[in-house]
Amino acid sequence: MELQTAVEQLKTLQAKMHAYYHAMELIFYDSVTAAPPETDVGRGHTMGILSEERHKLFANEQVGELLAYLASHKGELDKQTAREIEELQRDHAMLSRVPVEEYVAYTRLLNEADNKWLKAKNASDFAIFQPCLEKIVAFSRKLAGYYAPEKKPYDALLDQYERGATMESLDQFFSQLKAELIPLLERIEAAPQIDNSLLQRPSPIERQKQLTQYLMDIMSLDRRYAAVGETEHPFTVEFNKYDVRITTHYYEDNLFSSLFSVIHEGGHALYELNTADELMYTCLGEGASSAIHESQSRFYENIIARSEPFLRFLLPKLCELFPENYANVDAENLYRAVVSVRPSLTRIEADEITYPLHILVRYELEKRLIGGSLSVADLPGEWNRLYQEYLGVEVPDDRRGVLQDVHWAGGSFGYFPTYALGSAYGAQFLAAMQRDIDVWGATAKGDLQPVTAWLKEKIHRHGRMQLPADLIVHATGEPFDPRYYIEYLKEKYAAVYQL
Ligand SMILES: [Zn+2]
């Protein structure tokens, strides 16, 4: 085979794979935004066929031979193509071990699960979702065995979301966090508490939607390529770098829920929109990993938007849209209310100090579910017990407990730890960024361009060209170090609570 022909075949293959991805993501996006509630049967049928076609297109011997041929000529290839082959060979080896009928059955199961989860959540009844979740857990364990038979199942799943992450590395990370955050939380709880009741003042949803548009402007989200929708659980989906959709959820009595969701999802969107053009339609044209993705969304949400300079800048806009709520609020009180720490039931409403504890609960439960030492039937009870132990809160029902997140319905075992890792990466990025630019001077003016330009240069544009650990070294000059995160939290919250 001629090398040039093989390279062309490789590019065509990736473009076709991307077309399947696009179609399937669009069907998923429709299912959670516009589709009527009882439409999952037909959708499951279509998704089954598309996933089968995609599996056949990629997980076959000819593709294996093509990749092996190209890998043997690696020295003659450009950097990007060589990197594509590295990733594709890995994916090919994993997917080839998954029998096509199981792959299709799994796709259908996940389609059904999404609907079941939402019904169970609305009825606050775990029993509706339990049989489906049992099948997903069993499937996930089986897939883990196909992906990396030499690894423990949960390690194999963790590696899907954050390359190199293992139970050993995460146990160490979380125990470091626990050792620092639980005493910090105790000191905060012993300090005079902040009145944050202003956060619950009723805010008409029509005006919250105007605020969403304003926030998207502040973040320079180009509306030609980025749109916002509404879903039960906010998320971002990228069809390609010129078509990114974010979603939010509006609550009349919780303006900041949507505000922070929009900024969080906007952070994910900017990552995708800023990926280099030449990576489009290849396996590298997306974020480096889930944790790096969360580092971007959580950077904008927590480090930028939960800062005094940003809230001081935002206050006049809040006064304009909700004069009845904010006319008599000063910036310092708004900031203190927004960052006030309160152990609570809901992850996505959690403050920065208790958030990692919400993740820790999920990490420990996943580890045991996939490891086989916890049954799905016992999951709600264990969830409630750990919330009591780590956060000191009593879980009143499944809706606000074990059913609150969509991730397990999506089969995403191994994803949750990436939120805590992402937060920690973000703090290290901030330290490096502050050496280069005046982060707070710009933020105080509502100018997020310098921050975005820095992230684009160091992270966004590279897509998956580098593995997460290498990307961190290139962006910050040193390997990942969770001390940056711990110091960031300690310094910020010691000042807020005058500890
Ligand atoms: Zn996110």
Side-chain angles (χ1 to χ4, degrees):
M1 197 182 329
E2 199 161 331
L3 188 58
Q4 197 44 43
T5 317
V7 170
E8 277 161 25
Q9 281 178 13
L10 182 82
K11 304 286 175 185
T12 308
L13 172 72
Q14 291 183 87
K16 277 189 190 169
M17 298 276 293
H18 191 273
Y20 279 106
Y21 162 84
H22 187 171
M24 291 175 78
E25 287 293 293
L26 194 53
I27 291 169
F28 168 75
Y29 181 77
D30 170 73
S31 79
V32 291
T33 50
E38 300 299 333
T39 51
D40 61 312
V41 176
R43 190 164 47 248
H45 184 79
T46 300
M47 292 287 257
I49 289 173
L50 290 176
S51 65
E52 185 176 350
E53 290 305 310
R54 194 167 65 148
H55 189 284
K56 282 189 199 156
L57 177 70
F58 184 60
N60 62 59
E61 267 176 47
Q62 291 95 305
V63 170
E65 282 162 18
L66 174 70
L67 291 170
Y69 170 80
L70 286 164
S72 70
H73 289 79
K74 217 170 168 179
E76 299 156 63
L77 299 170
D78 63 85
K79 218 167 125 192
Q80 183 184 326
T81 308
R83 175 82 184 114
E84 287 165 15
I85 290 160
E86 239 171 61
E87 285 296 306
L88 289 168
Q89 273 197 309
R90 181 178 180 273
D91 291 348
H92 185 265
M94 284 194 297
L95 201 60
S96 298
R97 289 193 287 264
V98 184
V100 64
E101 60 284 358
E102 289 187 24
Y103 185 73
V104 171
Y106 184 59
T107 306
R108 290 207 168 117
L109 174 63
L110 294 185
N111 176 61
E112 184 196 327
D114 210 67
N115 192 24
K116 281 275 167 15
W117 164 75
L118 192 56
K119 275 187 184 154
K121 186 176 177 182
N122 288 337
S124 193
D125 183 359
F126 183 72
I128 297 174
F129 182 48
Q130 186 181 325
C132 221
L133 187 59
E134 280 166 352
K135 286 186 211 161
I136 295 174
V137 170
F139 240 120
S140 299
R141 291 168 55 85
K142 212 163 162 188
L143 286 175
Y146 291 135
Y147 292 156
E150 73 286 2
K151 286 184 185 168
K152 288 185 179 145
Y154 190 50
D155 276 341
L157 298 179
L158 287 170
D159 199 55
Q160 301 300 306
Y161 297 101
E162 191 63 2
R163 198 74 64 79
T166 60
M167 288 185 270
E168 198 190 336
S169 69
L170 287 172
D171 284 349
Q172 209 185 343
F173 171 65
F174 279 114
S175 72
Q176 219 173 330
L177 288 189
K178 229 160 93 175
E180 299 277 0
L181 293 187
I182 291 182
L184 179 60
L185 181 59
E186 281 165 2
R187 288 169 69 206
I188 289 172
E189 288 186 306
Q193 292 304 289
I194 297 168
D195 175 9
N196 65 4
S197 56
L198 70 91
L199 304 179
Q200 276 90 48
R201 293 177 184 169
S203 311
I205 285 171
E206 274 318 305
R207 280 185 268 158
Q208 289 196 39
K209 289 183 179 172
Q210 289 175 38
L211 181 64
T212 293
Q213 295 300 324
Y214 178 75
L215 295 169
M216 289 174 76
D217 288 341
I218 296 293
M219 296 185 81
S220 306
L221 286 162
D222 188 336
R223 251 43 136 255
R224 289 174 301 172
Y225 313 120
V228 61
E230 282 177 60
T231 48
E232 173 65 24
H233 206 303
F235 70 98
T236 301
V237 63
E238 63 287 351
F239 302 130
N240 59 65
K241 70 156 287 188
Y242 289 109
D243 189 353
V244 179
R245 317 294 174 91
I246 66 170
T247 71
T248 187
H249 192 116
Y250 295 106
Y251 299 95
E252 175 126 324
D253 62 353
N254 192 349
L255 166 72
F256 287 87
S257 173
S258 174
L259 186 154
F260 287 118
S261 286
V262 169
I263 294 174
H264 177 102
E265 303 307 334
H268 283 303
L270 283 174
Y271 193 173
E272 297 295 334
L273 293 165
N274 286 335
T275 309
D277 277 342
E278 57 269 27
L279 302 177
M280 252 182 117
Y281 312 128
T282 77
C283 65
L284 307 177
E286 58 183 24
S289 72
S290 301
I292 299 284
H293 237 299
E294 291 303 334
S295 78
Q296 301 308 291
S297 54
R298 297 183 64 72
F299 192 94
Y300 287 97
E301 179 195 347
N302 290 327
I303 294 176
I304 299 298
R306 283 189 168 91
S307 73
E308 187 167 1
F310 183 77
L311 290 163
R312 192 173 287 280
F313 160 77
L314 189 66
L315 185 56
K317 189 67 188 180
L318 295 179
C319 289
E320 179 196 320
L321 287 169
F322 311 97
E324 62 284 16
N325 292 351
Y326 298 100
N328 299 315
V329 174
D330 69 33
E332 200 196 329
N333 285 336
L334 176 65
Y335 170 62
R336 287 169 56 78
V338 163
V339 298
S340 61
V341 175
R342 290 270 196 297
S344 68
L345 293 166
T346 313
R347 176 184 63 86
I348 63 168
E349 314 291 351
D351 56 79
E352 285 183 280
I353 300 292
T354 58
Y355 188 92
L357 301 175
H358 288 260
I359 298 303
L360 180 61
V361 169
R362 289 155 177 79
Y363 168 65
E364 290 189 358
L365 293 172
E366 283 190 352
K367 202 162 79 165
R368 289 163 57 197
L369 273 176
I370 301 297
S373 64
L374 175 66
S375 72
V376 172
D378 291 336
L379 180 63
E382 279 300 281
W383 177 287
N384 298 352
R385 189 183 67 76
L386 288 177
Y387 261 77
Q388 183 65 254
E389 188 181 329
Y390 292 149
L391 289 139
V393 294
E394 191 143 340
V395 180
D397 49 42
D398 293 341
R399 187 174 62 83
R400 284 172 284 182
V402 69
L403 290 174
Q404 65 182 263
D405 291 310
V406 68
H407 303 60
W408 289 337
S412 303
F413 288 99
Y415 192 98
F416 280 121
T418 70
Y419 289 113
L421 276 177
S423 302
Y425 293 172
Q428 188 166 334
F429 293 146
L430 174 67
M433 190 187 284
Q434 281 180 304
R435 294 197 285 267
D436 296 340
I437 60 171
D438 178 8
V439 176
W440 302 119
T443 302
K445 289 184 269 174
D447 177 12
L448 303 188
Q449 291 284 2
V451 166
T452 302
W454 193 94
L455 293 171
K456 179 179 180 180
E457 171 61 25
K458 305 279 184 182
I459 297 157
H460 298 172
R461 69 184 178 90
H462 305 288
R464 276 172 77 193
M465 278 296 287
Q466 295 168 40
L467 291 173
D470 299 331
L471 191 65
I472 292 170
V473 173
H474 283 126
T476 70
E478 58 188 317
F480 170 51
D481 183 350
R483 295 300 317 173
Y484 284 103
Y485 181 40
I486 290 165
E487 289 310 314
Y488 158 80
L489 290 176
K490 277 182 158 173
E491 205 180 297
K492 180 169 176 177
Y493 288 87
V496 170
Y497 282 90
Q498 290 158 353
L499 300 175

